Amino acid sequence: MSLGTLPPQVDGVQEAKPAPVKNLPMPGIPYFHPIQRPAPGTFLGMLDSTQPRPLLFTPITIRGVTFQNRVWVSPMCQYSSPDGQLTDWHVAQLGSYACRGASLVMVEAASVTATGRTTPEDAGLWKEEQIPSFARAVQAIHSQGQKAGAQLGHGGRKSSMLAPWLGVGVAVKEANGFLGDVVAPSPIAYDELYPVPREMTIEEIQECIQAFAQAAKRAVAAGFDVVEIHAAHGYLIHTFLSPVSNHRTDLYGGSFENRIRFAVEIVTAIRAEIPEGMPLFFRVSATDCLENGRGWDIEDTVKMTRILKGRGVDLLDVSTSGLHPDQKIAVGPAYQAPFAEIVKTQIPDIFVGSVGILHQPEVANHVLETGQADVVLIGREFSRNPSYVLTLATELGVKVKWPIQLHRAEPSYRGRRLLNL
Ligand SMILES: Cc1cc2nc3c(=O)[nH]c(=O)nc-3n(C[C@H](O)[C@H](O)[C@H](O)COP(=O)(O)O)c2cc1C
């Protein structure tokens, strides 16, 4: 068959519109990939046209980047990186979320220094040689018309541990660990199973801020659309914020202003390295979940967020806890959304993301429709079901664009006989 003469029927369905006469390539991808336009996960209409469009499927624009829906993949470490690099495993996982409709795929935390890795197999962007493996994953995400996010982190006193499936224990030298180089604001271990960190000197703090900035520059070089700073879950930045883990008496400890200084300087340094139109996100543990007054709390988060907004943070990604073993958390559906809501209510001009057990369509939808957050980030449900966006759409009565190669599996094809196999 010559180009331009398509059969009148494709798979037994009469085409309503004239089909393109050529299998067009996705622009910007260095290998052939059929064009995904609009991107998978784009709203096409309500199955019942009397129903309103859910916010989950309403686009959102942050600086120069538009996301066609508000269902994002939360970063998830795979502990599978040789020398910090991403592999085929990452491309397969991240690609599966992208091709099935997640408008933003956050890649797992990339360490900004070799000794800031939580395990020896963490991903990292501490040297130029790591850029190509990230660029390959970004291309896989871009080939689906989706956006890619880099999360930059440093494990602090939780570094040089074993991959979680080996249990909680330190990674010794023979396991490629680096226990002598574990650093934190103060020499206080998370608990007896974790290493006792060395207190960072002022010079090391300055070097670490520069390491964040350089890693952000590498993320830009790898093609990422978004950068996020990981300041949650008891890792290095969080340990500076909380008075429980920061006992310093210099410029980086003591008062609230001093404890947030490290975070503020990282934000400023990164903003100077990334394009004006690139969104900058900040993941925070909104509370240490310790008894009142003992740790970092939601009031501190709100106060800091006002300052970070002024320094160029566009979205606060609201998680909680991870700082201290005494934490008390009531875990359940949307359990962290109330903290997102407090930030959203008190600082209406910053975008807010909610994360944590948003695994049922009605729960995820409720968080946005009640104004608790602007977007949802989903972790483990994407691991269980990479089609979660398509599941959400089906459950909420929304018709969305499917990945072009999988179009014959769309719900409208269910039960139909296929022609032209
Ligand atoms: C295997 C695994 C790895 C994770 N790695 C990261 C990470 O690299 N960065 C981060 O900020 N959170 C990380 N998290 C936390 C998730 O991003 C998310 O906040 C958490 O799983 C709660 O969301 P969920 O209930 O939808 O899974 C990880 C979670 C899991 C399960």
Side-chain angles (χ1 to χ4, degrees), residues 226-303:
V226 166
V227 166
E228 175 168 274
I229 298 167
H230 192 349
H233 304 163
Y235 298 122
L236 185 64
I237 302 177
H238 186 180
T239 56
F240 270 87
L241 299 178
S242 177
V244 172
S245 46
N246 183 347
H247 292 187
R248 298 180 75 93
T249 53
D250 60 11
L251 268 182
Y252 291 91
S255 66
F256 170 84
E257 284 69 26
N258 282 357
R259 282 181 283 114
I260 69 164
R261 190 181 307 281
F262 184 54
V264 173
E265 291 183 352
I266 288 171
V267 167
T268 308
I270 289 185
R271 194 75 255 178
E273 290 294 349
I274 64 176
E276 180 61 28
M278 180 177 280
L280 179 59
F281 299 172
F282 191 91
R283 175 166 274 200
V284 70
S285 281
T287 164
D288 289 344
C289 296
L290 297 170
E291 60 273 22
N292 255 348
R294 192 166 154 220
W296 179 263
D297 229 324
I298 181 66
E299 297 77 29
D300 301 311
T301 294
V302 171
K303 207 167 144 191

Side-chain angles (χ1 to χ4, degrees), residues 74-79 107-110 151 228 230 232-233 235 283 317 319 335-336 355-359 377-381 383-384:
S74 201
M76 285 182 285
C77 270
Q78 304 294 293
Y79 317 101
V107 174
E108 68 189 80
Q151 190 192 48
E228 175 168 274
H230 192 349
H233 304 163
Y235 298 122
R283 175 166 274 200
D317 176 1
S319 189
Y335 69 106
Q336 296 178 144
V355 66
I357 316 196
L358 303 171
H359 302 166
L377 290 108
I378 313 290
R380 291 161 294 172
E381 192 57 23
S383 301
R384 294 182 196 109

Side-chain angles (χ1 to χ4, degrees), residues 28-80:
I29 302 301
Y31 47 85
F32 174 76
H33 186 282
I35 192 163
Q36 301 276 19
R37 190 169 286 160
T42 300
F43 178 87
L44 297 178
M46 296 302 293
L47 289 173
D48 173 353
S49 59
T50 65
Q51 292 302 307
R53 174 184 192 160
L55 274 171
L56 283 172
F57 291 98
T58 302
I60 185 166
T61 298
I62 304 181
R63 289 197 187 238
V65 181
T66 297
F67 307 87
Q68 83 277 15
N69 62 44
R70 299 174 184 222
V71 190
W72 295 353
V73 178
S74 201
M76 285 182 285
C77 270
Q78 304 294 293
Y79 317 101
S80 305

Side-chain angles (χ1 to χ4, degrees), residues 51 55 69 93-94 105 108 119 130 133 147 152 158 201 207 217 261 291 305 307 328 380 383 391:
Q51 292 302 307
L55 274 171
N69 62 44
Q93 298 305 311
L94 301 167
V105 179
E108 68 189 80
T119 78
Q130 288 156 337
S133 76
K147 304 297 187 290
L152 305 178
K158 288 183 167 179
T201 63
E207 282 168 9
K217 204 171 164 183
R261 190 181 307 281
E291 60 273 22
T305 303
I307 295 165
K328 300 264 180 306
R380 291 161 294 172
S383 301
T391 304

Side-chain angles (χ1 to χ4, degrees), residues 1 5-21 404-410 412-413 416-421:
M1 187 192 308
T5 56
L6 285 171
Q9 286 199 338
V10 178
D11 296 337
V13 179
Q14 191 74 41
E15 289 288 286
K17 285 188 237 144
V21 293
I404 196 117
Q405 297 97 324
L406 308 187
H407 80 281
R408 292 194 281 193
E410 277 183 40
S412 61
Y413 278 76
R416 281 196 190 155
R417 189 169 72 88
L418 290 172
L419 303 177
N420 303 330
L421 290 175

Side-chain angles (χ1 to χ4, degrees), residues 382-400:
F382 270 114
S383 301
R384 294 182 196 109
N385 171 15
S387 296
Y388 186 53
V389 173
L390 305 176
T391 304
L392 279 172
T394 304
E395 297 283 318
L396 298 173
V398 175
K399 189 168 163 40
V400 290

